[in-house]
């Protein structure tokens, strides 16, 4: 069950089946009905109290419950997030003689709107689709989307993440395509938060990979369009204008722009150019296209001019999303110096991203099929 906000607990899944925020009391009553012997020593109230204690203390619990049919066990296992908080709790009921089934990997994560990053614990590498060598403590939403195959709910996710309102929630399965190896299947449960602890959202990520569940691959139409764009040299991104960041690539990413493995996703755009992007939001409301030349980060750490043709986002979104076609400017261009931060920021001589992980990831991607 998910415990993603302080004022709510609901069922995220039972076994391998999603439950989409079903009420806690009703589900516990159904589970107890399937094991009537537990009624001798347990009640839904006692179970909820044990869950609340496990959540508060971030500790496992192993309770022995005497019944007329012999002793039973109630196991409670918290699922922790990057700060050690409990994002979910797992329950298991059974007789004392029963073998406890192995638990699938699951972790909590935090979307922080201020930095526009997903904070993730190292335990996420236990899920299929992400290697230990590629792990970073913070990643952008564009990087997560880029690992997904055949996913089409980007706008719903972006609306929740960029405009978090109490009560907003989502649950969905995704296929994760790794740099190498077989794809994995994740279930992601999200609740928006806007409180003293977090402005953004908390996430629960579960491994639901199964040999019986076919992986979702891009359709022939989607693969064909991507290949056509690749051959034509077209690179389209969804850009959040107000936050000045790339939210998603609709085609292959522009190869000259470093958008991934950054400490702060806004660093893809040169600081002096960011206000120019923000100003486009008002002009796009008329439905017209706008063109602008700005400086974007490349993989050697320099900022080079890139021409953007920016269009209004055609679908419904509550956030300031736009489509941006990127064009590489090469003729007669003198590279700008790498971004330098003031000495007091402590970042003047520091990298702006996770360079070792980036090199590992890019080396692996070069070995993959261009349509993978």
């Amino acid at each position: 069950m998910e415990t993603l906000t302080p004022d709510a607990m609901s069922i995220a899944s039972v076994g391998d089946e999603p439950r989409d925020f079903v009420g806690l009391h009703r589900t516990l009553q159904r589970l107890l009905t399937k094991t009537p012997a537990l009624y001798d020593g347990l009640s839904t109230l006692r179970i909820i109290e044990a869950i609340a204690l496990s959540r508060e203390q971030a500790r496992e619990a192993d309770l022995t419950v005497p019944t007329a049919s012999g002793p039973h066990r109630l196991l409670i296992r918290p699922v922790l997030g990057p700060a050690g908080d409990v994002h979910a709790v797992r329950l298991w009921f059974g007789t004392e003689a029963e073998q406890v089934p192995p638990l699938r990997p699951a972790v909590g994560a935090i979307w922080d709107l201020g930095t526009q990053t997903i904070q993730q614990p190292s335990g996420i590498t236990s899920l299929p689709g992400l290697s230990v060598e590629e792990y970073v403590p913070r990643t952008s939403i564009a990087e997560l989307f880029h690992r997904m195959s055949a996913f089409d709910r980007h706008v719903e996710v972006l609306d929740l993440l960029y405009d978090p309102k109490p009560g907003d929630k989502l649950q969905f399965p995704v296929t994760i395509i790794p740099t190498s190896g077989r794809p994995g299947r994740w279930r992601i449960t999200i609740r928006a938060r806007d409180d003293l602890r977090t402005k953004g959202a908390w996430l629960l990520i579960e491994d639901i990979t199964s040999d019986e569940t076919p992986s979702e691959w891009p359709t022939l139409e989607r693969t064909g369009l991507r290949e056509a764009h690749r051959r034509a040299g077209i690179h389209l991104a969804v850009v959040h204008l107000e936050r000045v960041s790339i939210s998603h690539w609709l085609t292959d990413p522009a190869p000259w722009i470093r958008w991934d493995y950054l400490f702060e996703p806004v660093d893809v755009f040169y600081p002096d150019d960011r206000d120019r992007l923000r100003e486009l939001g008002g002009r796009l409301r008329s439905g017209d296209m706008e063109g602008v030349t700005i400086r974007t980060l490349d993989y050697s750490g320099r900022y080079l001019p890139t021409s953007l043709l920016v269009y209004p986002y055609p679908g419904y979104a509550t956030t300031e999303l736009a489509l941006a076609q990127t064009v590489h400017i090469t003729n007669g261009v003198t590279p700008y110096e790498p971004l330098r931060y003031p000495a007091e920021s402590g970042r003047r001589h520091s990298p702006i991203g996770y360079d070792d992980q980036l090199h590992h990831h890019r080396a692996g991607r070069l070995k993959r099929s261009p349509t993978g």
Side-chain angles (χ1 to χ4, degrees):
M1 72 188 61
E2 56 84 14
T3 58
L4 298 173
T5 55
D7 56 349
M9 290 192 294
S10 67
I11 303 300
S13 59
V14 176
D16 291 334
E17 297 300 318
R19 284 297 181 265
D20 198 21
F21 306 97
V22 169
L24 178 58
H25 287 81
R26 183 173 62 180
T27 301
L28 288 177
Q29 288 171 354
R30 288 179 177 175
L31 292 175
L32 288 176
T33 300
K34 294 179 180 179
T35 314
L38 286 171
Y39 273 119
D40 294 345
L42 278 180
S43 64
T44 55
L45 178 59
R46 185 182 173 190
I47 296 174
I48 292 173
E49 289 175 345
I51 293 170
L53 184 62
S54 177
R55 176 186 187 178
E56 178 183 344
Q57 299 180 348
R59 295 176 59 182
E60 299 181 353
D62 188 346
L63 306 178
T64 299
V65 183
T67 74
S69 302
H72 282 62
R73 295 176 70 191
L74 167 61
L75 301 183
I76 302 176
R77 299 289 185 265
V79 177
L80 303 181
D85 300 293
V86 178
H87 286 230
V89 171
R90 288 165 153 171
L91 298 182
W92 182 83
F93 304 96
T95 66
E96 206 168 47
E98 285 183 74
Q99 186 73 24
V100 180
L103 297 177
R104 288 178 176 271
V107 296
I110 296 174
W111 162 260
D112 177 65
L113 182 55
T115 61
Q116 300 184 75
T117 56
I118 299 172
Q119 301 168 5
Q120 52 191 11
S122 60
I124 198 169
T125 59
S126 64
L127 278 73
L130 183 65
S131 69
V132 173
E133 293 80 7
E134 293 174 303
Y135 167 74
V136 292
R138 299 190 303 178
T139 187
S140 69
I141 185 61
E143 290 173 87
L144 178 59
F145 282 156
H146 200 63
R147 292 181 178 273
M148 297 178 181
S149 173
F151 184 69
D152 59 3
R153 300 179 65 182
H154 304 88
V155 173
E156 291 179 76
V157 176
L158 291 173
D159 279 348
L160 185 151
L161 297 183
Y162 279 100
D163 189 20
K165 298 184 181 68
D168 286 355
K169 57 187 183 295
L170 279 175
Q171 185 181 74
F172 49 85
V174 295
T175 296
I176 301 295
I177 306 299
T179 302
S180 61
R182 64 187 295 264
R185 188 83 166 154
W186 295 0
R187 180 185 297 120
I188 301 179
T189 304
I190 310 176
R191 277 193 186 269
R193 292 188 63 159
D194 187 1
D195 50 45
L196 294 176
R197 187 64 186 278
T198 302
K199 183 174 180 62
W202 278 24
L203 294 78
L204 167 65
I205 305 175
E206 304 173 79
D207 173 25
I208 56 171
T209 307
S210 170
D211 293 336
E212 288 74 36
T213 303
S215 298
E216 290 186 5
W217 294 94
T219 61
L220 179 62
E221 178 185 23
R222 186 174 301 186
T223 301
L225 285 173
R226 183 175 285 266
E227 179 62 18
H229 285 136
R230 179 186 292 114
R231 291 177 180 271
I234 296 173
H235 304 283
L236 286 173
V238 177
V239 177
H240 194 291
L241 293 177
E242 180 184 358
R243 297 281 177 172
V244 198
S245 64
I246 295 173
S247 300
H248 175 48
W249 285 99
L250 296 172
T251 62
D252 284 352
W256 69 91
I257 297 177
R258 178 175 176 177
W259 59 278
D260 47 354
Y261 287 93
L262 295 173
F263 296 148
E264 299 181 12
V266 297
D267 280 340
V268 70
F269 300 111
Y270 197 77
D272 293 346
D273 295 340
R274 294 171 193 171
D275 284 341
R276 299 175 64 199
L277 276 178
R278 294 187 183 98
E279 292 167 359
L280 290 179
R283 302 206 295 269
L284 289 179
R285 293 191 184 99
S286 64
D288 294 334
M289 176 190 74
E290 293 286 341
V292 64
T293 297
I294 58 174
R295 288 161 285 186
T296 56
L297 183 67
D298 74 0
Y299 283 97
S300 66
R302 302 172 302 173
Y303 279 84
L304 301 177
T306 290
S307 176
L308 296 183
L309 299 177
V310 186
Y311 308 80
Y313 189 84
Y316 175 77
T318 62
T319 52
E320 286 202 47
L321 300 180
L323 298 182
Q325 180 177 339
T326 63
V327 179
H328 196 192
I329 301 176
T330 57
N331 294 334
V333 169
T334 300
Y336 287 83
E337 288 298 314
L339 179 60
R340 300 299 184 187
Y341 290 89
E344 61 269 18
S345 73
R347 290 185 55 186
R348 182 175 178 85
H349 301 292
S350 301
I352 62 173
Y354 304 96
D355 294 342
D356 290 344
Q357 293 90 333
L358 171 70
H359 296 154
H360 175 87
H361 182 71
R362 283 173 61 83
R365 289 191 66 83
L366 290 175
K367 301 174 185 177
R368 291 176 52 184
S369 164
T371 58

